[in-house]
């Protein structure tokens, strides 16, 4: 199953305005989204570290 997390419209909204309703929804959503988990776990350790810092993400 391919995911489109790299080009997700909600992710773009978070990047543009993190405090918006759509941005906050996306940030909450990645805590349990199987697509995000697959995307995130497929990244290199450096890319994971960058996303962890950028999105304050500590789950995986």
């Amino acid at each position: 199953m391919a995911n489109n997390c790299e080009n997700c419209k909600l992710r773009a909204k978070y990047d543009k305005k993190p405090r918006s309703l759509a941005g906050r929804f996306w940030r909450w959503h990645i805590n349990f989204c199987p697509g995000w988990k697959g995307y995130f776990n497929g990244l290199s350790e450096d890319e994971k570290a960058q996303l962890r810092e950028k999105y304050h993400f500590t789950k995986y």
Side-chain angles (χ1 to χ4, degrees):
M1 176 177 109
N3 62 53
N4 199 22
C5 295
E6 187 76 33
N7 303 311
C8 176
K9 290 180 183 183
L10 284 176
R11 181 179 177 187
K13 289 183 185 222
Y14 179 91
D15 289 343
K16 186 175 180 181
K17 194 172 180 185
R19 305 267 312 147
S20 69
L21 183 59
R24 289 181 298 167
F25 173 80
W26 177 81
R27 179 56 191 85
W28 168 79
H29 172 78
I30 66 172
N31 286 314
F32 57 84
C33 176
W36 175 261
K37 182 178 182 180
Y39 166 75
F40 187 81
N41 287 330
L43 297 173
S44 71
E45 289 302 317
D46 288 340
E47 291 170 315
K48 286 181 185 179
Q50 289 174 349
L51 290 182
R52 283 185 183 112
E53 184 176 334
K54 182 175 182 178
Y55 298 125
H56 310 286
F57 186 68
T58 59
K59 187 159 184 179
Y60 313 121

